[in-house]
Amino acid sequence: MEEPLWRQLKLALEPLYKDDDGRPIPAVADILQDGGYVYEPNHGPGAHLEENIRRILHERGADFFEQDEEERRQRVPAHESKDDVDVADAEDVGEPSAAKPMTQDELFKMRTDIMPQLNIALGEMNLAKDVLSLFISSTAHEPSAPSSQAIVTSSSSALPPNVLTASSVSKTQPIPSVQAFDAQLIAGGKDEALRKASALFKAAAESAERGRQLGDRYWTDALKIRRRNWALIPSPLPRGAPTGRGADRTAKDFLVSFGLTESSAVFRRRALAHLATFGAESEPITFPQRQKTILCVSLKTTDSSGVVALASNRLTSDAEDAEPLNSLLKASQREVIEQEIFASLIHDAGNMATTSARVSERLVVVEAAAGVNVMFELVDSGSVAPQPPGSKPALQAKCDLIYHLLHVLLLRVHAYTKSKRLGDEASTHTDGQQAAPQSRAILHPVIDLLQYEVFCDRIKSEMQKIVAALRQAGVATIFRFDTVGENGSDIVKLLSSGGLERIGGDAVIRIDNSRTLRFTFYAPSLLTAHLSQATLPISSVPQLIQLLYDETEQCLLQGICDVGAGLSETRNGTWFVDLLMGRSVGKWEGCVVCVTSGASFCIIHGHDPTGPSGFPTTKAQPFDASHLDCTDRTDRRRA
């Protein structure tokens, strides 16, 4: 906004050196009584040099430039007297000289100093003369008195009452040039004073307007925050405020609370902000305890071949909102929540019994399983680091899942805390025992899921070895492996159930459309085998391998018996499985055939109908039993 023209006017205190046409203006030496101007002579440098040389030749002689320095000191000019030399010597030692003529400036200064005093003296002399004339005129008409005392009494009584009055003596007006300079000086001083006063009033007006705008913005922002359902709480009284009886204890301001309700007091105090009340602040809302850190989750895996893979979750900032206040509060709330999550991770890392953890100020590293490390780190919110080179998308998706799962688990902890605080019956079992400790921790479920994943990969690889061996031998085999048997809604219900339920899955192996092996498993490493005759818990991988071998062997031996019974039906043959020796036995007409599991595949799928006695004989074929992780056994045939 431009200032008006009268504010842009400035009076120059320095005299002008050129007129409007660009010609130099001569300096005024004096102004005469009739108004005429006396200008200072304008001498060039040549005229000054000529005058100086002429004076040197006139005072020091015509041969002054031909003399050396010693002669100039010893020789005294003829026109100079001894008194002049003494005066010159006195000037050298600092004594004043009376013979030196006064310059124009010295004369003007002396006149300026003396004239006011002479004017005062003149006024006093005129006043004294008037008083004497008054006394003389009053005593001239009175008769002679016998004494001077009588004369004074009669004369004083004869004076009129208002003869002696007060009179003022004023200083004479200076010359017109001085009056003009004084007028310019006074005008310049008044102009400067007026400008300072105007600037002061302008600053005060701007401050008042700025205060009004800040007040309007303060309440407008408060209404916006309240419309977004952010909590507004009364601010505490300032330090030193009276709190006694009759004191005004009403809050004059309010604070914005953006923390979670069931958080601890430390994080609730950290999640406080107040609206800006000063114009110097860049943001409309102030966060006194904001640390500007966010949580980063990273996974580091090492496979059997020694290849290391590292990935982290996507560090994205919150979407920009139409209202900057809402965006700032969302970002601050996210930071405080993730700081609370990190504090819980530090607390839970020291209570882990099945894992080892390294804890520092802003980093927690947990070795969840063999070759799997999970890292939780607080990083600056302004620095969004790119993904490590060679990171796998599946591993990055796991990091994102863990990152969001931590927030859900924190809400579960808060729900448990609230139910316990309110005395809710859901916080206890039907038998009165307390809920599981996992409902109050957020690191245990994450580690359980990572261990569960490694556990499922291990048992799946062992089952796939058996299935691959059976399929390579030509046995029809159906294999189904579901790591997680629940859908998304069921998993959410499990997470909100206080830790009483666990995620699980199942696996089914169907061999030769005759025998079915079913396994169920739960996080982190609970495996149960459901067989036709029993339900067995499995506690180790070698136990699982032995169970798979035994069940597969029994299935194949039973298949051999079924085939043998069908082939020897005309001879009234009898086939059965010898579980103790691990073989199939067939009997007919005094003949006995014993087949072990090592050659069972050959017996079932390879036979020669032209053998002796017209009975199908076995045809040995090479078979690698390493797929079953068992030792091969030799066939024994007896007739």
Side-chain angles (χ1 to χ4, degrees):
M1 182 177 180
E2 297 183 357
E3 296 183 351
L5 295 177
W6 62 271
R7 287 191 177 183
Q8 300 177 2
L9 178 63
K10 297 183 182 297
L11 299 178
L13 300 180
E14 298 182 359
L16 300 177
Y17 297 97
K18 292 183 180 181
D19 56 5
D20 297 338
D21 298 333
R23 294 189 297 268
I25 299 176
V28 178
D30 196 1
I31 300 177
L32 303 177
Q33 296 293 337
D34 56 354
Y37 295 93
V38 178
Y39 300 101
E40 295 180 358
N42 187 11
H43 298 293
H48 286 288
L49 180 60
E50 181 182 358
E51 180 64 21
N52 293 336
I53 294 175
R54 185 186 63 78
R55 288 182 59 189
I56 290 173
L57 297 178
H58 177 71
E59 296 176 359
R60 301 296 179 179
D63 57 346
F64 176 77
F65 295 101
E66 299 177 359
Q67 300 172 2
D68 56 2
E69 185 176 357
E70 188 67 24
E71 292 178 353
R72 292 174 183 173
R73 292 180 180 178
Q74 295 177 358
R75 183 177 178 181
V76 179
H79 62 277
E80 291 186 0
S81 62
K82 189 174 182 301
D83 298 335
D84 297 336
V85 176
D86 296 338
V87 169
D89 294 339
E91 291 179 355
D92 294 339
V93 297
E95 297 179 0
S97 176
K100 185 178 180 181
M102 296 180 64
T103 61
Q104 183 179 2
D105 295 337
E106 294 175 350
L107 180 62
F108 179 75
K109 181 178 181 182
M110 184 184 67
R111 185 177 66 177
T112 305
D113 296 339
I114 294 176
M115 286 301 294
Q117 301 177 7
L118 293 178
N119 290 329
I120 295 173
L122 178 60
E124 293 177 353
M125 293 297 296
N126 291 332
L127 180 60
K129 185 180 68 174
D130 294 340
V131 171
L132 291 176
S133 300
L134 179 61
F135 276 101
I136 292 171
S137 62
S138 61
T139 58
H141 303 286
E142 295 293 332
S144 58
S147 62
S148 60
Q149 183 68 25
I151 293 174
V152 173
T153 303
S154 62
S155 63
S156 61
S157 61
L159 292 176
N162 296 327
V163 171
L164 297 177
T165 59
S167 62
S168 61
V169 179
S170 61
K171 183 179 178 180
T172 57
Q173 296 293 332
I175 59 178
S177 60
V178 177
Q179 292 182 6
F181 182 77
D182 292 342
Q184 291 182 359
L185 186 62
I186 293 172
K190 290 183 177 181
D191 176 71
E192 184 179 3
L194 290 175
R195 290 186 184 277
K196 289 183 178 180
S198 176
L200 181 62
F201 281 110
K202 181 179 179 181
E206 291 177 354
S207 177
E209 180 65 20
R210 187 166 54 252
R212 185 191 65 80
Q213 293 178 358
L214 288 176
D216 294 346
R217 191 186 71 175
Y218 183 87
W219 294 110
T220 302
D221 294 343
L223 293 176
K224 290 180 180 179
I225 292 174
R226 191 67 189 92
R227 188 166 57 247
R228 289 285 186 171
N229 292 328
W230 295 102
L232 299 179
I233 60 176
S235 62
L237 295 176
R239 187 181 299 274
T243 57
R245 185 175 182 181
D248 185 9
R249 289 175 288 184
T250 306
K252 302 300 189 297
D253 200 355
F254 55 85
L255 300 177
V256 183
S257 176
F258 50 87
L260 299 180
T261 307
E262 298 300 329
S263 300
S264 60
V266 176
F267 294 100
R268 286 203 306 269
R269 284 193 298 267
R270 191 178 298 178
L272 292 177
H274 59 83
L275 294 174
T277 55
F278 301 98
E281 298 178 358
S282 58
E283 295 182 350
I285 191 169
T286 304
F287 303 93
Q289 300 185 18
R290 185 177 181 182
Q291 299 180 1
K292 295 184 178 180
T293 56
I294 58 178
L295 184 64
C296 176
V297 181
S298 302
L299 274 177
K300 181 180 179 181
T301 60
T302 305
D303 56 8
S304 58
S305 59
V307 179
V308 179
L310 179 64
S312 59
N313 65 310
R314 296 179 179 86
L315 299 178
T316 57
S317 58
D318 294 336
E320 293 294 335
D321 202 318
E323 297 181 1
L325 282 172
N326 196 40
S327 300
L328 290 173
L329 289 173
K330 282 184 178 179
S332 302
Q333 186 184 50
R334 172 188 176 185
E335 294 173 5
V336 172
I337 291 175
E338 294 180 2
Q339 291 168 14
E340 184 179 359
I341 292 174
F342 188 78
S344 301
L345 293 175
I346 293 177
H347 178 268
D348 297 340
N351 301 327
M352 299 293 293
T354 60
T355 59
S356 61
R358 301 192 306 272
V359 179
S360 62
E361 183 180 0
R362 299 178 66 173
L363 178 65
V364 176
V365 181
V366 181
E367 186 177 356
V372 178
N373 293 341
V374 57
M375 294 173 287
F376 307 95
E377 184 180 6
L378 285 179
V379 298
D380 296 335
S381 58
S383 60
V384 179
Q387 290 292 330
S391 60
K392 300 179 180 179
L395 198 60
Q396 182 180 356
K398 292 179 184 178
C399 296
D400 294 336
L401 177 62
I402 294 174
Y403 173 79
H404 295 289
L405 180 61
L406 291 175
H407 293 74
V408 177
L409 295 175
L410 179 65
L411 294 178
R412 189 182 73 172
V413 172
H414 286 182
Y416 172 78
T417 305
K418 182 178 179 180
S419 62
K420 184 178 179 181
R421 177 171 54 85
L422 298 178
D424 192 357
E425 296 181 356
S427 61
T428 58
H429 291 292
T430 56
D431 55 356
Q433 298 180 356
Q434 292 292 330
Q438 287 78 3
S439 62
R440 300 187 294 274
I442 64 174
L443 183 58
H444 288 79
V446 175
I447 300 302
D448 289 348
L449 290 178
L450 294 176
Q451 292 177 349
Y452 178 66
E453 181 186 8
V454 176
F455 169 73
C456 290
D457 292 340
R458 180 72 184 275
I459 62 176
K460 184 178 181 180
S461 63
E462 297 298 335
M463 293 179 182
Q464 284 179 342
K465 290 179 182 179
I466 297 295
V467 172
L470 291 173
R471 289 177 178 175
Q472 185 176 1
V475 180
T477 307
I478 299 175
F479 178 60
R480 179 176 59 84
F481 193 95
D482 292 333
T483 305
V484 179
E486 296 84 1
N487 53 21
S489 60
D490 294 337
I491 293 177
V492 173
K493 292 179 181 179
L494 293 178
L495 293 176
S496 61
S497 62
L500 303 180
E501 301 290 342
R502 290 174 294 180
I503 296 177
D506 61 346
V508 177
I509 301 177
R510 187 170 179 81
I511 304 173
D512 198 20
N513 296 326
S514 60
R515 180 179 290 265
T516 301
L517 304 179
R518 181 173 176 269
F519 300 88
T520 58
F521 30 85
Y522 297 95
S525 59
L526 181 60
L527 178 62
T528 304
H530 301 273
L531 306 178
S532 59
Q533 63 274 17
T535 301
L536 301 176
I538 300 176
S539 58
S540 63
V541 175
Q543 183 182 0
L544 173 64
I545 295 175
Q546 184 64 35
L547 177 65
L548 291 175
Y549 171 76
D550 293 341
E551 292 296 326
T552 304
E553 184 181 22
Q554 292 181 15
C555 180
L556 296 178
L557 291 176
Q558 184 64 40
I560 293 173
C561 292
D562 295 341
V563 173
L567 294 176
S568 61
E569 183 177 2
T570 58
R571 298 178 177 271
N572 297 322
T574 302
W575 289 81
F576 62 94
V577 177
D578 187 2
L579 296 178
L580 182 62
M581 300 299 296
R583 60 187 180 179
S584 297
V585 180
K587 297 180 180 181
W588 67 93
E589 295 182 357
C591 296
V592 178
V593 178
C594 298
V595 183
T596 60
S597 60
S600 57
F601 299 139
C602 302
I603 292 172
I604 295 174
H605 297 283
H607 58 276
D608 187 2
T610 62
S613 303
F615 184 76
T617 59
T618 59
K619 182 179 181 182
Q621 294 182 358
F623 172 69
D624 186 7
S626 61
H627 299 285
L628 292 174
D629 294 336
C630 61
T631 58
D632 194 5
R633 302 179 183 178
T634 59
D635 290 348
R636 293 183 301 171
R637 303 180 181 87
R638 288 185 306 171

